[in-house]
Amino acid sequence: MKTKEFGLYIHIPFCVRKCSYCDFLSMPTSERLQEDYVKALITEISLTAEKTKGKVKSLYFGGGTPSLLTVSQMERIAESLYSCFSILPNAEISMEVNPGTIEKAKLNTYHRIGINRLSMGLQSTQNDELQMLGRIHTYEEFEKNYQLLRVEGFRNISIDLLLAIPNQSQAQMLSGLQRLINLRPEHISVYSLILEEGTKFYEIRDSLNLPTEENEREMYWAADAYLIKNGYYPYEISNYALKGRECQHNLLYWSDEDYIGLGIGAASYWNGVRWKNTSDIKQYIKSPLPSAIREITQEKDEQRHLEDYLFLGLRKREGILIDKLNQSFDQPLQKIYALEIEKMQKQGLLEIVDGYLRLTQKGIDFSNMVFAEFLR
Ligand code: SF4
């Protein structure tokens, strides 16, 4: 039997301060809290690895701001991961780093522990927008950090950008994108700003000059065309990469592959079952036993599995290879969803090309409608 290969996600929930739009599980840090968390994480790593057979094909440190961890903390986490899990020699090892928290000594450590891909949260190239978003850095600081990563030999860098920021015009957005493209990062993620409950932006939503839904869509497609024209391949709704630089870790989320999440709030998908770790950092630090911190969010179920397969797989621009999907289920897709697929093809939301089922441009704009059709 083929050895299972899977992804590992490590959540580091600390940030210098909360950005105005952020609803991720993140919080301000203190030396003590950070150290206690790292100790608990190392315990969870070792207890989880004992029960997890297989090889790690991708490892992702996300947050929060993982680059806030000290050199010693990163080294101890990495040592624990390498000694407890079998990590493939060619595994993609990514880490999110935020401008303003990057130092040369940390970068040397990242190299030493095998990190081969860095993802920078920039969000905007305009300083007034960065300030409004509550970011801790200016564009100039970002660029200085970016150049340092290059000088230190990082050859696979991703940059996150936000679209549809209050007061933003399409021309401003495109000029920011051009500035970024000039730096030639290997990967660019473009997300539209969404006002999530519990964020500062949500509280002051009535005072924000946000683009209409129509403007937001126009901006998205303008960014899409611009990135494609400049050599960035759109491999997912929000993700663009130079040839061969797609994020392997994200791809496994959209390709029905198994992954384990460690740390507070981290999600896992293993043999058809989904679970999530507690979001309570105090509880986690007190007792990071997998049995105590995990909550099953979805039991194994053929129909839910198929819905997730479609929901996540259709995020990929190439779509879903129908033959491959059919190997994972008792009945073929076109039998289960014959009517829905035909209807959405007629509506111009879905298309089948070379054996792949995928969203059309209209389907991307109305993806929620498409996904709702598949729910039973
Ligand atoms: S840096 Fe990222 S995770 Fe931290 S508060 Fe800002 S958006 Fe949230």
Side-chain angles (χ1 to χ4, degrees):
M1 207 172 96
K2 198 173 174 274
T3 312
K4 189 199 272 277
E5 292 184 1
F6 62 97
L8 254 190
Y9 173 83
I10 312 290
H11 192 70
I12 307 296
F14 307 113
C15 286
V16 174
R17 67 163 186 248
K18 197 81 175 162
C19 299
S20 310
Y21 58 93
C22 175
D23 80 326
F24 298 127
L25 183 53
S26 67
M27 61 194 76
T29 188
S30 73
E31 264 178 48
R32 173 79 195 276
L33 184 67
Q34 204 165 293
E35 189 52 34
D36 288 348
Y37 184 78
V38 168
K39 283 185 186 143
L41 183 61
I42 289 171
T43 306
E44 193 199 359
I45 289 170
S46 119
L47 294 174
T48 304
E50 280 172 15
K51 301 255 163 73
T52 311
K53 299 257 175 311
K55 293 188 184 297
V56 177
K57 63 189 266 189
S58 71
L59 172 58
Y60 193 102
F61 294 90
T65 306
S67 47
L68 273 180
L69 293 180
T70 64
V71 164
S72 149
Q73 287 165 343
M74 268 315 284
E75 280 173 344
R76 279 179 285 146
I77 294 171
E79 199 184 302
S80 153
L81 286 166
Y82 281 107
S83 65
C84 296
F85 285 100
S86 170
I87 299 176
L88 289 169
N90 60 348
E92 176 190 87
I93 306 185
S94 302
M95 178 166 170
E96 291 176 0
V97 294
N98 268 323
T101 62
I102 297 168
E103 297 159 17
K104 197 167 179 295
K106 287 185 182 175
L107 297 180
N108 293 338
T109 305
Y110 301 164
H111 268 311
R112 218 170 35 249
I113 62 177
I115 289 170
N116 49 32
R117 183 176 182 277
L118 293 176
S119 176
M120 297 182 86
L122 169 63
Q123 316 311 349
S124 168
T125 59
Q126 311 275 336
N127 285 336
D128 55 343
E129 288 178 352
L130 288 170
Q131 202 179 6
M132 175 176 43
L133 293 167
R135 303 290 299 175
I136 59 164
H137 55 87
T138 60
Y139 177 76
E140 291 70 27
E141 279 161 344
F142 153 78
E143 206 173 306
K144 219 166 127 195
N145 282 174
Y146 178 86
Q147 299 302 357
L148 181 64
L149 301 190
R150 287 303 198 201
V151 169
E152 292 302 314
F154 286 93
R155 297 282 167 264
N156 197 0
I157 300 179
S158 175
I159 298 176
D160 286 359
L161 205 63
L162 273 176
L163 287 186
I165 295 171
N167 307 323
Q168 188 181 47
S169 69
Q170 193 178 114
Q172 276 171 336
M173 181 277 292
L174 287 177
S175 91
L177 204 49
Q178 182 57 57
R179 222 168 163 186
L180 213 58
I181 287 168
N182 290 343
L183 297 174
R184 223 56 198 155
E186 283 70 24
H187 188 283
I188 298 179
S189 300
V190 180
Y191 300 100
S192 292
L193 178 74
I194 296 175
L195 296 193
E196 302 283 3
E197 256 182 83
T199 62
K200 186 174 164 210
F201 267 5
Y202 190 82
E203 272 171 38
I204 57 162
R205 60 192 179 282
D206 293 338
S207 65
L208 296 175
N209 177 24
L210 288 162
T212 61
E213 217 170 292
E214 207 183 326
N215 290 150
E216 181 274 320
R217 285 291 82 198
E218 277 171 18
M219 235 185 246
Y220 170 82
W221 287 112
D224 181 78
Y226 206 75
L227 283 159
I228 293 171
K229 196 174 96 188
N230 283 282
Y232 287 88
Y233 168 68
Y235 69 102
E236 193 263 353
I237 290 181
S238 305
N239 287 284
Y240 301 79
L242 296 180
K243 215 171 168 13
R245 298 311 189 111
E246 299 87 355
C247 175
Q248 297 307 312
H249 188 80
N250 282 344
L251 275 171
L252 66 82
Y253 291 142
W254 305 315
S255 307
D256 197 42
E257 294 185 49
D258 287 7
Y259 55 88
I260 300 275
L262 302 169
I264 58 167
S268 302
Y269 176 56
W270 193 261
N271 292 339
V273 180
R274 293 186 186 277
W275 68 85
K276 200 169 175 242
N277 279 0
T278 179
S279 300
D280 182 339
I281 194 162
K282 282 196 189 135
Q283 185 201 344
Y284 182 80
I285 287 172
K286 203 166 144 205
S287 171
L289 303 175
S291 58
I293 55 168
R294 290 179 180 176
E295 190 196 333
I296 303 277
T297 51
Q298 193 175 295
E299 296 285 3
K300 199 169 175 154
D301 176 279
E302 173 97 348
Q303 178 57 29
R304 294 284 92 76
H305 179 197
L306 179 56
E307 287 166 8
D308 285 347
Y309 198 117
L310 290 164
F311 179 79
L312 295 164
L314 284 173
R315 292 192 62 91
K316 291 185 288 184
R317 286 288 187 95
E318 67 175 12
I320 292 166
L321 186 57
I322 297 172
D323 281 349
K324 191 167 174 228
L325 178 150
N326 287 342
Q327 285 165 17
S328 304
F329 297 92
D330 294 341
Q331 292 193 61
L333 177 74
Q334 276 133 312
K335 191 166 173 209
I336 308 171
Y337 285 119
L339 292 176
E340 289 86 350
I341 291 175
E342 200 192 323
K343 179 177 144 195
M344 288 192 278
Q345 277 179 304
K346 281 191 187 141
Q347 291 172 326
L349 296 166
L350 282 179
E351 60 188 1
I352 296 177
V353 180
D354 299 334
Y356 283 83
L357 176 73
R358 67 181 187 207
L359 295 172
T360 60
Q361 186 159 330
K362 185 177 168 195
I364 291 176
D365 285 344
F366 295 98
S367 54
N368 286 344
M369 221 166 96
V370 175
F371 300 142
E373 284 284 345
F374 288 124
L375 292 179
R376 292 249 161 107

